Amino acid sequence: MALLRKINHILLMMLVLIVCLLLHSKLFRGPPRPKLKRTESRKDPERAPKVPVEKAAEGGDDIPVVICAAEERMGGAMATINSIYSNTDASVFFYIVTLRDAIKLTRQYIEKTKLKGIKYKILEFNPMVLKGKVKPDSSRPDLLHPLNFVRFYLPLLDISHQRVIYLDDDVIVQGDIKDLYHTKLEKGHAAAFATDCDLPSTHEMVRSVGMQTTYMGFLDYRKQEVRDLGINPSDCSFNPGVFVADIGEWKKQKITKQLENWMQENLKNNIYSSAMAGGVATPPMLIVFHDKYTIIDPLWHVRHLGWSPDARYPETFLQGAHLLHWNGRFKPWDYPCVHLDLWEKWFIPDPTGKFLLVRPEGKI
C-alpha cells in the first residue's frame, strides 16, 4: 500500500509539472507573426514577390533611347526604332515622346506591327513648358514644333536611366546601338555630339549644297550679345539630332536652365532666328555646349542627307556608316529625296492607314 501511494504521488507531481510547462509556453511565447501585406513585403527586396516584366519596366542593362514621335511624322520615328531594334542583340528601351493627341496612334503603330516585341514607354510632352520662350518667326514652321525642344528637357522626362541616347526621327541606324551608347564622355561633359568638321568624305557634298558647318551659320554676329560670347565664328558647329547625354551631369550644370535663358534672350534680341541656317533649337545647344562636349565617332552621325534632293553621297561610303540622318527639308518619307532605299527598307506601314509615303508620279 505504501508503494502504491508513493507511485501515485510521483504521477501527481509529473502531471503538475506538465501543466506548468504548458501554461508557461502559452503565456510567454509571444503572438503569432502576422502575414505581410503586399505593400509591406515590397519594403524588403529579398521578400518582395516577383512580378512579370511589363513593356514599361526599365532595366538596368537596357540601352535607353529617347525619340520623339510627332503624329505627322510617325512613320519616320517607327522606321528609326525598327532599324535600331533590328541591328542589335542588346536590350534596348525606347522612351517615345509625343503629344497627347498622338498617344493612341503611337501605341497602335507599335502593338499592331512587328514592333510589338520592343520594350518602351510612351511619354507625353506638355508644350506649355515652351510658353513665352519661342516665337513663330522661322521660315520653316516644322522647326517650331514643340517636340523639337524635347532634347532641352531630358531631366524633366519620366526617365529612370542616368545615360541616354537622343535621336531625331529622320535617322536610320545601321550599326549596333550599344557601341554608340558606350561612348566615353570626358570628365565634366554632359553630352557627346558629332562635330560638323569631321568626315573628309562629307566635305565635298556639304560645300556643294551650302550646308553650314560653323557658328557663323547659326548665330547673328551683328548682335553684341553674340559677340560677347567670345565664340570664334569659324568654330565648327555640331548637329544636336544625335547625341549621348549624361543626365546627372546635365542636372549638375543646369543645362536646361541655360538653354531656356538663351531662348529668352532670343525673344528679346533675335540673336539667331534670322541666321542663315535657320531653326531655333540648334543655336541654344551650340551656345551652351561650346567647347564642353565629347566628340563621337563621325560614322555614328553621317548627316545632311535631307539637305538637297540632288546631291548624293557615294553608296560605298553610306554602306559603311553606322547612322544616317536626313536632316534638312527633304525627308525620306516625302519626295523628292536622295538615298530612299536606305530608309525605306526599315519602314513599317501604318496599321491605321494615317501615315502614307509620298512617291513619284502620285504613287503612294
Side-chain angles (χ1 to χ4, degrees), residues 21 69 84 90 131-132 140 147 201 218 249 302 349:
L21 290 173
I84 296 169
K131 187 176 180 179
R140 289 180 58 191
L147 294 181
S201 306
F218 295 89
E249 194 65 35
V302 174

Side-chain angles (χ1 to χ4, degrees), residues 66-81 147-148 151 166-172 241-242 324-326 331-333 343:
V66 178
I67 184 169
C68 296
E71 184 173 9
E72 64 275 17
R73 297 162 61 117
M74 191 67 66
M78 296 302 156
T80 302
I81 292 172
L147 294 181
N148 274 343
R151 73 198 84 193
Y166 174 89
L167 298 178
D168 277 351
D169 59 4
D170 50 359
V171 158
I172 289 298
V242 174
L324 306 176
H325 188 184
W326 279 263
K331 302 302 182 186
W333 49 83
W343 181 88

Side-chain angles (χ1 to χ4, degrees), residues 97-239:
V97 189
T98 190
L99 301 181
R100 178 172 297 179
D101 292 345
I103 291 176
K104 182 178 179 181
L105 175 60
T106 305
R107 186 173 289 111
Q108 289 177 326
Y109 217 131
I110 294 171
E111 297 295 343
K112 294 184 178 181
T113 65
K114 62 178 289 188
L115 296 178
K116 60 186 176 183
I118 69 171
K119 298 172 67 177
Y120 70 97
K121 179 189 288 185
I122 298 175
L123 304 178
E124 179 187 346
F125 183 70
N126 185 355
M128 289 303 295
V129 73
L130 301 173
K131 187 176 180 179
K133 301 182 180 73
V134 180
K135 59 183 178 181
D137 63 344
S138 173
S139 60
R140 289 180 58 191
D142 56 308
L143 295 178
L144 293 169
H145 194 288
L147 294 181
N148 274 343
F149 299 91
V150 165
R151 73 198 84 193
F152 289 15
Y153 296 95
L154 293 179
L156 303 186
L157 301 177
D158 185 16
I159 293 176
S160 62
H161 294 88
Q162 285 301 302
R163 170 185 281 225
V164 300
I165 296 172
Y166 174 89
L167 298 178
D168 277 351
D169 59 4
D170 50 359
V171 158
I172 289 298
V173 176
Q174 300 184 138
D176 191 331
I177 195 69
K178 68 173 179 282
D179 295 337
L180 176 60
Y181 180 71
H182 291 304
T183 298
K184 185 177 181 181
L185 270 66
E186 296 179 24
K187 186 176 181 180
H189 287 177
F193 304 92
T195 173
D196 283 329
C197 302
D198 47 22
L199 278 174
S201 306
T202 69
H203 292 171
E204 182 177 346
M205 195 192 85
V206 167
R207 284 194 297 268
S208 70
V209 299
M211 181 65 191
Q212 301 302 311
T213 59
T214 66
Y215 274 68
M216 176 64 82
F218 295 89
L219 303 179
D220 189 349
Y221 277 83
R222 295 171 299 179
K223 301 294 176 67
Q224 186 62 44
E225 293 81 6
V226 173
R227 295 197 298 271
D228 287 345
L229 288 169
I231 298 175
N232 191 322
S234 62
D235 281 359
C236 292
S237 54
F238 60 82
N239 185 297

